[in-house]
Amino acid sequence: MKRRLDSLQFRVTAALALFVAMMATLMVMALFAINERLEDDLLDGIVAHEVNELETEYAVEGEAALPNSATIKAFVVEADALDSLPVPLRSLPAHHPGMDLTFNGRSYRVATTVIEGKRAFLAYDVTAIEQRESLFRTVLIVAAIVVVALALPLGIWIARISLKPINELADHVASLQPEAAGRDLADRFDGFEVGVIARAFDRFMQRLDGFVERERSFTADASHELRTPLAVIQGALEVLQQEAPGAHSAPLTRIERATRQMAELIESLLFLARDEDRSSDGVEPDCRAHTVVSEVIDAYRPLLGNKHLQVPALDDCRVAAPRIAVVIVFGNLLRNALRHGGDTVRVTLADGVLSVSDDGNGMGREQLRHAFERGYRNGQGAGLGLGLYLVKRVADRYAWPLRLTSRENEGTRIEVRLAAR
């Protein structure tokens, strides 16, 4: 969650910096455009006014009307005497309201007209204006660069302030423990925008605490209430088998088998419901997987019937998990192989990998896709659809890689890596 919030902060900061950079760029472009437009309008107005005065005064004063100041220069020549003009002026059209030219090392705004059949040129010196415009352009570019450079740290600062309550809420949620009742957050985050989220989270935690308490009560009650009648049935079976050995052996065997399966299923479900990874003294649980596998094989031998069980390898393997976890995984894999496999079941435990394979009918693509789903059953003799589901639950809980391979009419193989190499 912390990583996601850091990523959110980065995205917010980047978006803010990009927004500021875009706004700064747009402002600079707008100022450039406005400045250019105002400058053009101003210069065109000045040049047009000077041209009108030149036309009026030239008709009266002749050559004496030509202005020749530091700012304005005028030329009136015959059409065949253009060679006497500065080179940039010679190719200009007879009538033009104004254009920018450079000659004699200066910048001018030049307008042209015809006076008494002669070509007239009026040049307004804009060198100083161009210099000021260049300085203004430089200042704007520098200002835009400064704004963009400040946008990132400013965005980080604003993002941190904005996301601080969210980070605190995330840290508090991350520190919650399943066994501890949730504490109210609404008062702590009152006045912040996340206060609404905190209040909603408080209501959710209240419902969750009630659910957890009910689940704990059910687990504790089920542990006693379900095991007690099974113990009574198992005791009665032992008495019947001792009093009348051989009589009704088949029905008693089926009852014993069903009772054992029910006990294993109850033990598995209670183990997963408790979600306990530590013993009562706080020590991390572990077990010798090869010993557990051997014990489960001995317990399931009465179920073999005419099937042949091969155990080519059973290497020593210590697993960081309680014994019941290995019992659930291997017991369900072995039971499925015996129930749905062919005549031969092969069990190996080597290099930390527990493998159970059979030579049965195998699985099709559809069966492989749903094999580990809860309640999925297929074919005759299917059970409750919990076997492989429980295997997947335990494997996910202890991060044991699980691999299922199967081909129709060739058999099925399931591998569980119980220990790292």
Side-chain angles (χ1 to χ4, degrees):
M1 184 178 295
K2 184 68 173 178
R3 183 179 301 174
R4 291 181 179 178
L5 289 176
D6 291 340
S7 176
L8 175 62
Q9 178 174 327
F10 174 77
R11 291 197 298 270
V12 171
T13 302
L16 181 60
L18 179 62
F19 173 76
V20 173
M22 291 179 60
M23 292 302 298
T25 303
L26 290 176
M27 289 179 61
V28 170
M29 294 175 62
L31 289 174
F32 277 154
I34 293 173
N35 179 69
E36 290 289 340
R37 181 61 182 271
L38 291 176
E39 178 186 340
D40 291 343
D41 291 345
L42 177 62
L43 292 177
D44 288 342
I46 294 174
V47 171
H49 175 73
E50 294 294 337
V51 168
N52 290 334
E53 286 191 352
L54 177 62
E55 291 176 339
T56 302
E57 294 176 1
Y58 190 85
V60 178
E61 301 179 9
E63 294 292 330
L66 297 178
N68 190 13
S69 64
T71 304
I72 301 176
K73 296 182 181 297
F75 307 91
V76 178
V77 297
E78 296 290 344
D80 56 358
L82 295 178
D83 292 342
S84 63
L85 299 174
V87 176
L89 300 180
R90 298 173 187 176
S91 59
L92 296 181
H95 295 278
H96 198 284
M99 67 177 64
D100 293 326
L101 293 176
T102 300
F103 56 89
N104 297 332
R106 308 287 292 183
S107 299
Y108 294 92
R109 186 75 169 184
V110 180
T112 62
T113 188
V114 176
I115 301 176
E116 297 181 353
K118 300 178 180 181
R119 297 287 303 278
F121 302 84
L122 189 137
Y124 184 82
D125 193 335
V126 295
T127 303
I129 297 176
E130 291 289 342
Q131 291 175 349
R132 287 192 296 270
E133 181 183 357
S134 177
L135 178 61
F136 177 66
R137 183 185 298 110
T138 302
V139 170
L140 286 179
I141 293 175
V142 172
I145 294 174
V146 171
V147 170
V148 172
L150 293 177
L152 184 59
L154 180 63
I156 294 175
W157 179 70
I158 294 176
R160 285 179 178 175
I161 293 178
S162 302
L163 296 177
K164 184 178 180 181
I166 300 178
N167 285 322
E168 292 180 356
L169 179 61
D171 292 339
H172 179 81
V173 173
S175 65
L176 293 177
Q177 298 297 326
E179 64 274 7
R183 292 177 294 177
D184 292 342
L185 301 176
D187 295 338
R188 183 176 179 179
F189 294 95
D190 189 22
F192 295 98
E193 288 78 2
V194 295
V196 176
I197 300 177
R199 285 190 291 273
F201 189 80
D202 283 343
R203 292 192 294 269
F204 171 76
M205 287 302 297
Q206 290 174 0
R207 295 194 298 269
L208 183 61
D209 290 342
F211 173 78
V212 171
E213 182 60 31
R214 290 191 299 271
E215 185 180 19
R216 287 176 177 173
S217 298
F218 168 78
T219 303
D221 294 340
S223 179
H224 177 268
E225 299 298 334
L226 294 179
R227 287 172 175 170
T228 300
L230 282 175
V232 173
I233 295 174
Q234 289 173 342
L237 276 173
E238 293 177 0
V239 172
L240 289 175
Q241 290 172 341
Q242 292 175 0
E243 290 182 351
H248 308 292
S249 58
L252 292 179
T253 300
R254 288 196 297 271
I255 294 174
E256 181 184 9
R257 183 186 308 164
T259 304
R260 183 172 61 251
Q261 292 177 354
M262 181 61 67
E264 291 176 356
L265 178 60
I266 292 173
E267 187 68 23
S268 301
L269 295 177
L270 292 177
F271 167 72
L272 294 175
R274 286 193 298 267
D275 195 23
E276 296 174 356
D277 289 334
R278 295 177 181 270
S279 60
S280 58
D281 57 1
V283 178
E284 294 288 349
D286 65 354
C287 69
R288 297 185 180 277
H290 56 284
T291 302
V292 178
V293 170
S294 180
E295 293 174 354
V296 174
I297 290 176
D298 291 339
Y300 275 72
R301 287 195 184 278
L303 302 179
L304 289 177
N306 297 326
K307 295 180 181 292
H308 180 56
L309 178 63
Q310 298 178 352
V311 187
L314 200 60
D315 298 346
D316 290 351
C317 180
R318 197 173 189 89
V319 180
R323 177 183 180 279
I324 183 61
V326 180
V327 171
I328 294 173
V329 170
F330 179 61
N332 281 284
L333 293 181
L334 182 58
R335 183 165 54 249
N336 275 5
L338 294 176
R339 177 180 295 173
H340 304 292
D343 295 332
T344 302
V345 176
R346 185 182 179 90
V347 176
T348 59
L349 178 57
D351 296 328
V353 177
L354 175 63
S355 172
V356 179
S357 60
D358 62 71
D359 58 353
N361 295 327
M363 300 183 185
R365 292 184 178 179
E366 187 69 16
Q367 293 172 281
L368 287 173
R369 188 179 300 112
H370 302 285
F372 294 106
E373 293 181 2
R374 182 177 181 273
Y376 178 74
R377 294 174 291 179
N378 186 74
Q380 296 181 351
L384 299 176
L386 294 176
L388 293 182
Y389 167 74
L390 294 176
V391 171
K392 185 70 165 56
R393 282 280 306 275
V394 176
D396 290 344
R397 179 169 171 177
Y398 293 100
W400 293 342
L402 190 62
R403 182 184 179 188
L404 168 62
T405 57
S406 182
R407 291 185 178 180
E408 292 183 306
N409 301 320
E410 293 186 12
T412 301
R413 178 185 180 91
I414 301 181
E415 295 180 353
V416 184
R417 177 166 293 281
L418 301 176
R421 292 182 179 177

